[in-house]
Amino acid sequence: MISGKSIKLARESRGLSQCRLSELLGVTQATLSRFEKGVLTVTPEFVSKIAQALNYPASFFEKDIHIVGETSLFYRKRASMTVKDLSILESKISILSKSIDEMLDSISIPELRIPSVEPTAENSPREIAYKIRNYLGIPAGPIDNIVSLLEKNGVIVMFLDVDDMEKFDGLTMFTTNQVPVIWINRNIPNDRKRFSIAHELGHLVMHLRSEDLEKSEKQKEIEANEFAGEFLMPESQCKEDLFNLKYKDLGMKKYYWKVSKAAIIYRAKELKCISDQTSKYLYVTLGRYGERKNETVQVPIDSPKIVNRMLELHISELNYSMDELSDIVGLMPDEINSELLSENNSVSIKPHKIMLNF
């Protein structure tokens, strides 16, 4: 049975309007609209035509895909995104979330070990972040492998290729199988990726499983930022290091703490290591050297591994061909490589349902 909703999702993921796709298909927009709403039945021959135009396997259009826009989402800078960009983003994440769920039918990943904690007057986001560090056994100092840390504790991290969406940093959501996924813009600098991951972890800990339905989105963003700052640069460990911060020290501090120079200035001011006047001077100097958007000194970040391993296991252990895998995940082979794969990693295999070990 062809799902009209899947036609709409595929179209929006390619950034096409109904008018443009109807032109490519040689039908009226009214006909395409009825296909998407399920009013008209799509013939198998026409499904092949749609699949070719949108570069999806024909089997994709038989899938029942949950649309992430129907749930509560957490976007950084969401309000400033265009309607078209938001539509592309939501449809891509809906499709890739379904791909992940399809593979999870045969592959087990580590269970979610990260607790849900409500911020209170006695338990601030900063205190929660410090406790989560201790709970996860993170040693003092900067966090080296932040992606691996979360994946070991049951959180999938995905670097999403979204062209020309500088205003999208990250998003956190649960798949239909209730697996948490942190989606991060692949094209932003690594220091921004790391802060976005910590920010989204804050949402996962404090908001996504919360029973507090009254808290505003603005307050949630403030709390997630406070959580991220303390998680990446704990006050007890960085305050002395940031005292009397100088511009010439920013590159070295950035390389050590693996956060942006702008974040280091903000943290130093927040912890009263520098005055307001000094922080303004440092920000102005960053701008003078053209570093407000593109900072010098690059920091490393580890690559996501879970989804890559699941794909490898379907081929190497479950003996799926690439065409069969394409039908399962609902993506053409070239997009499996571009959207889901990162780097090769070894896996440990157990009987029956395959388990990923870290």
Side-chain angles (χ1 to χ4, degrees):
M1 181 70 178
I2 302 303
S3 167
K5 184 170 67 174
S6 66
I7 298 174
K8 181 181 179 182
L9 270 177
R11 172 177 63 78
E12 290 181 342
S13 74
R14 303 307 186 201
L16 297 179
S17 65
Q18 269 191 353
C19 181
R20 178 57 182 148
L21 180 57
S22 63
E23 290 174 356
L24 293 174
L25 296 174
V27 298
T28 65
Q29 184 178 347
T31 297
L32 178 58
S33 175
R34 286 168 172 76
F35 284 155
E36 292 186 352
K37 294 182 183 299
V39 175
L40 290 179
T41 300
V42 187
T43 65
E45 294 77 18
F46 202 74
V47 170
S48 297
K49 195 170 183 179
I50 295 173
Q52 184 175 8
L54 295 175
N55 194 36
Y56 281 100
S59 59
F60 169 85
F61 299 96
E62 299 176 2
K63 295 182 181 293
D64 182 21
I65 300 176
H66 179 67
I67 301 174
V68 300
E70 296 172 352
T71 65
S72 176
L73 298 178
F74 293 98
Y75 295 113
R76 293 190 63 211
K77 302 183 181 178
R78 179 182 181 182
S80 60
M81 293 183 68
T82 66
V83 173
K84 181 177 180 180
D85 281 350
L86 195 56
S87 173
I88 294 172
L89 185 65
E90 289 181 342
S91 57
K92 286 190 73 166
I93 289 177
S94 297
I95 291 166
L96 295 176
S97 293
K98 179 65 173 180
S99 301
I100 290 170
D101 269 344
E102 293 283 8
M103 291 189 289
L104 286 170
D105 287 342
S106 301
I107 309 289
S108 290
I109 66 173
E111 291 185 7
L112 179 61
R113 291 187 59 251
I114 296 172
S116 174
V117 186
E118 295 272 3
T120 65
E122 296 76 29
N123 201 23
S124 70
R126 294 173 191 171
E127 290 170 318
I128 293 170
Y130 192 77
K131 291 173 183 176
I132 292 293
R133 279 184 65 109
N134 289 336
Y135 177 82
L136 296 177
I138 300 172
I143 300 173
D144 289 327
N145 298 314
I146 192 169
V147 174
S148 176
L149 172 71
L150 296 192
E151 290 191 325
K152 287 177 181 177
N153 288 282
V155 181
I156 293 177
V157 179
M158 290 289 292
F159 290 168
L160 187 64
D161 192 7
V162 281
D163 293 332
D164 301 322
M165 287 194 195
E166 291 183 357
K167 293 177 180 177
F168 167 67
D169 289 343
L171 172 157
T172 305
M173 62 164 287
F174 284 85
T175 70
T176 303
N177 285 348
Q178 294 304 300
V179 175
V181 182
I182 293 179
W183 302 87
I184 297 295
N185 187 341
R186 182 184 295 175
N187 303 313
I188 61 178
N190 287 345
D191 51 69
R192 192 166 148 197
K193 284 191 186 81
R194 289 172 57 86
F195 188 88
S196 295
I197 290 171
H199 177 102
E200 297 305 323
L201 176 61
H203 282 312
L204 178 60
V205 170
M206 300 183 293
H207 306 135
L208 278 174
R209 294 168 285 174
S210 172
E211 296 181 359
D212 183 357
L213 303 179
E214 302 299 322
K215 187 175 293 184
S216 69
E217 294 300 309
K218 181 178 180 180
Q219 181 60 30
K220 290 173 184 175
E221 289 298 297
I222 291 171
E223 291 176 351
N225 279 333
E226 290 180 1
F227 178 99
E230 179 68 18
F231 188 75
L232 294 172
M233 301 180 70
E235 178 177 357
S236 63
Q237 299 169 24
C238 76
K239 190 168 185 177
E240 183 177 350
D241 189 42
L242 299 183
F243 184 73
N244 200 22
L245 182 68
K246 300 290 193 298
Y247 183 80
K248 64 180 178 61
D249 299 326
L250 284 175
M252 179 180 63
K253 304 296 185 191
K254 174 178 180 175
Y255 190 78
Y256 178 75
W257 288 105
K258 300 178 177 64
V259 300
S260 69
K261 294 178 180 179
I264 290 169
I265 296 170
Y266 184 90
R267 189 68 170 147
K269 177 188 172 184
E270 183 180 44
L271 299 179
K272 302 188 186 309
C273 298
I274 56 175
S275 66
D276 289 351
Q277 184 177 358
T278 299
S279 71
K280 289 177 183 177
Y281 165 77
L282 292 175
Y283 282 131
V284 168
T285 307
L286 272 183
R288 187 181 302 136
Y289 286 99
E291 292 198 69
R292 289 308 297 264
K293 283 192 173 182
N294 298 299
E295 294 185 1
T296 58
V297 182
Q298 300 303 310
V299 300
I301 190 169
D302 50 325
S303 298
K305 298 178 178 66
I306 285 183
V307 171
N308 189 66
R309 292 183 179 185
M310 289 197 294
L311 286 164
E312 289 177 343
L313 285 174
H314 272 82
I315 293 173
S316 65
E317 298 300 326
L318 299 178
N319 298 317
Y320 279 87
S321 68
M322 202 60 183
D323 287 340
E324 290 172 329
L325 189 57
S326 177
D327 283 337
I328 290 172
V329 301
L331 298 173
M332 297 299 282
D334 62 323
E335 286 207 307
I336 291 177
N337 290 322
S338 63
E339 299 288 356
L340 295 178
L341 288 178
S342 53
E343 62 182 16
N344 294 326
N345 292 284
S346 60
V347 293
S348 298
I349 300 166
K350 293 185 177 181
H352 309 302
K353 194 173 183 181
I354 297 173
M355 172 72 75
L356 292 186
N357 283 348
F358 284 81

